[in-house]
Amino acid sequence: MKLRPLHDRVIVKRMENETKTASGIVIPDNAAEKPDQGVVIAVGQGRKNDKGELVAMAVKVDDKVLFGKYSGQTVKVDGEELLVMKEEDLFAVIEK
């Protein structure tokens, strides 16, 4: 799959949530909340400022990021569910 987001958009793949509680109870898929963490799989070139200069993106491919529960637009590509969102919709990069 080759996707290249435009401008200041990123493509994020959601990370899977734990489907079992600490006490061992299995949470069914329809009751589990969507994860608010993901891995960046593609980034655009960046946005242009008022002077027309290109402002580089702060995130890069393979960064683990936090985002809002309802952020981005969900798309399905090759059977995989991905999120397309603007860089400003990301809250933080999770450092290793």
Side-chain angles (χ1 to χ4, degrees):
M1 158 177 48
K2 292 265 187 183
L3 290 176
R4 183 176 52 91
L6 300 176
H7 309 293
D8 63 338
R9 288 185 171 73
V10 296
I11 298 177
V12 177
K13 181 177 179 181
R14 285 186 196 268
M15 294 172 61
E16 295 300 318
N17 265 356
E18 196 65 36
T19 57
K20 195 184 285 188
T21 65
S23 60
I25 299 171
V26 176
I27 302 169
D29 288 340
N30 58 354
E33 290 186 12
K34 288 188 176 183
D36 55 0
Q37 296 181 20
V39 177
V40 176
I41 61 170
V43 297
Q45 292 181 333
R47 63 177 175 80
K48 293 195 177 190
N49 63 14
D50 296 337
K51 297 177 183 176
E53 300 165 335
L54 190 65
V55 178
M57 301 285 277
V59 295
K60 60 188 182 308
V61 174
D62 292 329
D63 276 350
K64 290 182 181 173
V65 293
L66 291 176
F67 51 86
K69 202 170 285 208
Y70 303 106
S71 295
Q73 177 67 41
T74 304
V75 295
K76 215 169 202 178
V77 179
D78 294 338
E80 217 173 0
E81 201 169 282
L82 303 171
L83 287 170
V84 179
M85 63 181 75
K86 288 192 167 210
E87 184 184 33
E88 64 190 27
D89 292 338
L90 300 174
F91 296 149
V93 175
I94 301 170
E95 300 288 339
K96 296 179 182 179

